[in-house]
Amino acid sequence: MLLSTAYRLHVILSPEHNEIRQVARSFASSEIAPNVREWEAQGGAPKALYQDMAKVGLLGMTIDPKYGGSGLDFVSYALAMEEIAAVDGGISNMMSANNSPVAIGIATHGTNEQKDRFLPRLCAGEWLGSFHLTEPHTGSDASSITTRAVRDGNEYILNGHKAFITAGSTSDIAMIVAVTDTQADNPGISVFVTPTENPGYQVINTERKLGHRTNDLCQVRFDAMRVPATDLLGEEGRGLSIALGGLSLGRIATAAQAVGGARQALQLSKSYASERETFGKPIIGHQSVAFTLAEMATEVEAARQMYLHAASLHDAGKDSATAASMAKLFASEMAERVASKAIQVHGGAGFLEDHLVEKIYRDVRVYQIYEGTSEVQKIVISRNLDSLEL
C-alpha cells in the first residue's frame, strides 16, 4: 500500500518536530523525573508543575497563539505526550485531559466568549480541565449515559454520577457530557463546560489506584447543579459527536503514552543489562537477553509509527478514527508486554521499588482500559474493515 504524503512527512520527523520532542524530553528529565517517587507517595504533583509546563508550551499545544496556545499540529502534541509519559504516566494523563479533549473541544466547538473565557487560563496552566463522560455502568458507551441536564430558564440543572474522572478533585474546569433530550430516538446528548467551584459539583470519592498515582481519579456527583446556558458547548443535542471526537483524539494520545512508558522500560533494561554480569560477562552478551531487548525495541518502534500515522491523518484533515483505534489497541497491549519483559530482564531486582520498571509496569496497564478498552477498539476496527486497504 502506498503511503500518503502526510504519512511520509510526519513519520520521518521534521526538524521542528524533533525540536518539540527535545523540549518535552528536557522538561520531563529536569522537572519531573527527580520527583516522581515523592509525588507518587503524595498522590499528586504540585499545581506549579503544570504552570511550568505551560511556560514551555506543553499545555494548549494545538491552540491558536491568540489564546495563549502554541499553535502546533497534533503530531507535535503526540510526540510531547510520549516524552512526558516516558517519565510519568499520571502526569502525562493530566496533560492529556487539559490539552484534549478540554482545550481542543473548546477551541473547536466553543463560542468566541467561551474561547476568551477558558482557553487563555487553560493554556497558561492557571486552570486545569477534566472530562466527565464515564459513568459507573456505562464505560465508553457515550450513548447510554444517565446524567441529565434539564433546561430551566437561562440555566440547566444537572443531576448525575460520573466515575473514573482524571483530575476530578484538582481541576478548575469540567467538560460534562449529559442527556438533554430523553424523548429523542437517540438520546439527545449535550456537552457543558463549567467551573468546578459550582456548589452542585461534589467529589464523592478519590480512588486508590494500581498506577498513575501522581494524579487524582475521582467519582463526581452533580446534585441539582445549576449551569448557565452560556456554558453549553456547541448546540444542544449535538454533543455525542463532540464526545466521540474527543475520544478518537484521546486514543492517539494514549498510544503515545503507551509508547513512552514502554520506551523507558526498554532503555532501563538496556542499561541494566549492560551493567549486570553473570557467568563472567554483562547479561546483554547472552543471546537470550539480547534477543529480548531486540523484540522490545521492535514493538516500541512499530507502535510509534502507528500513533504518528494516526496523528498525521488527523493533521491532514482525514478520518483518523480507525487508525487511532489500531494505534491505541496495539500500543497499549505492547506496553504491558514490554514492561513485563523489562522486569524479567532485571530479574529479582525488577520486582523491587529500587528500580523504576515496577512503576512503569503499574502505570502502563491502564492504557488498555481508558479511552475505550481493547475490546472497544476491536469493535471499532472490525466495523470499518471494508474501508481499509488490506
Side-chain angles (χ1 to χ4, degrees):
M1 182 174 66
L2 293 176
L3 303 181
S4 70
T5 302
Y7 188 159
R8 290 200 307 270
L9 288 176
H10 286 104
V11 170
I12 302 174
L13 298 177
S14 69
E16 291 78 12
H17 287 136
N18 281 315
E19 182 179 351
I20 291 159
R21 182 164 65 172
Q22 188 55 50
V23 167
R25 182 173 297 184
S26 296
F27 182 88
S29 176
S30 62
E31 304 302 321
I32 301 175
N35 304 296
V36 289
R37 288 297 194 186
E38 177 185 353
W39 291 342
E40 188 177 49
Q42 293 175 351
K47 193 167 184 179
L49 172 72
Y50 299 101
Q51 294 169 349
D52 291 340
M53 189 178 287
K55 290 175 183 176
V56 296
L58 297 178
L59 296 185
M61 289 190 67
T62 65
I63 304 304
D64 193 316
K66 73 179 181 180
Y67 297 113
S70 300
L72 300 170
D73 60 14
F74 204 81
V75 167
S76 299
Y77 166 60
L79 288 167
M81 183 62 61
E82 177 187 332
E83 297 304 325
I84 302 301
V87 174
D88 187 81
I91 290 171
S92 74
N93 206 26
M94 295 282 284
M95 171 184 166
S96 175
N98 204 74
N99 273 279
S100 176
V102 178
I104 286 180
I106 295 169
T108 305
H109 303 283
T111 63
N112 289 332
E113 186 275 333
Q114 288 172 332
K115 293 176 186 178
D116 289 337
R117 181 159 46 117
F118 294 122
L119 289 179
R121 290 182 172 182
L122 287 169
C123 293
E126 181 181 345
W127 283 350
L128 296 176
S130 55
F131 182 52
H132 298 247
L133 170 64
T134 304
E135 298 182 355
H137 303 292
T138 60
S140 300
D141 185 4
S143 64
S144 298
I145 63 173
T146 60
T147 297
R148 299 288 185 257
V150 178
R151 185 73 182 249
D152 182 27
N154 292 325
E155 296 179 316
Y156 287 85
I157 302 174
L158 272 65
N159 285 282
H161 183 186
K162 298 293 186 179
F164 304 108
I165 305 303
T166 297
S169 65
T170 55
S171 61
D172 307 277
I173 299 298
M175 178 179 283
I176 303 168
V177 183
V179 175
T180 47
D181 183 2
T182 59
Q183 304 303 314
D185 292 336
N186 293 312
I189 291 174
S190 301
V191 176
F192 300 86
V193 181
T194 195
T196 58
E197 64 182 8
N198 190 311
Y201 183 98
Q202 301 176 0
V203 176
I204 58 176
N205 191 44
T206 300
E207 311 289 3
R208 296 169 61 87
K209 310 187 296 297
L210 173 69
H212 284 219
R213 296 178 182 173
T214 50
N215 68 35
D216 56 302
L217 188 75
C218 303
Q219 294 187 46
V220 177
R221 178 176 290 134
F222 311 123
D223 185 9
M225 184 170 81
R226 289 188 169 270
V227 174
T230 53
D231 286 352
L232 175 69
L233 186 66
E235 297 180 29
E236 182 179 305
R238 301 293 180 88
L240 186 59
S241 62
I242 297 175
L244 294 180
L247 279 176
S248 183
L249 295 183
R251 288 164 183 168
I252 300 174
T254 301
Q257 288 178 295
V259 170
R263 188 196 83 204
Q264 181 78 330
L266 168 63
Q267 291 174 329
L268 292 170
S269 298
K270 180 177 177 293
S271 295
Y272 184 82
S274 298
E275 298 170 0
R276 174 78 166 98
E277 293 189 3
T278 62
F279 304 105
K281 61 181 178 181
I283 62 173
I284 198 171
H286 299 294
Q287 190 178 74
S288 60
V289 175
F291 279 13
T292 295
L293 294 172
E295 292 168 354
M296 293 163 69
T298 301
E299 289 209 82
V300 169
E301 182 58 26
R304 180 182 289 117
Q305 295 297 315
M306 292 183 75
Y307 88 65
L308 287 172
H309 173 46
S312 68
L313 287 175
H314 173 73
D315 283 337
K318 298 182 179 180
D319 183 3
S320 62
T322 304
S325 286
M326 286 180 165
K328 200 266 189 187
L329 173 64
F330 181 80
S332 63
E333 298 194 346
M334 172 280 299
E336 185 183 7
R337 290 193 298 269
V338 167
S340 180
K341 289 178 181 179
I343 291 176
Q344 196 70 21
V345 169
H346 281 73
F351 200 66
L352 306 178
E353 290 186 0
D354 296 350
H355 294 270
L356 282 170
V357 288
E358 66 82 26
K359 177 184 182 299
I360 294 171
Y361 186 81
R362 290 188 285 105
D363 278 351
V364 301
R365 183 59 182 86
V366 75
Y367 299 138
Q368 295 175 56
I369 299 173
Y370 68 47
E371 300 290 357
T373 63
S374 290
E375 291 73 22
V376 167
Q377 307 314 316
K378 291 174 185 178
I379 291 172
V380 173
I381 296 164
S382 64
R383 287 175 176 172
N384 291 282
L385 289 175
D386 290 342
S387 66
L388 301 177
E389 296 182 38
L390 301 175

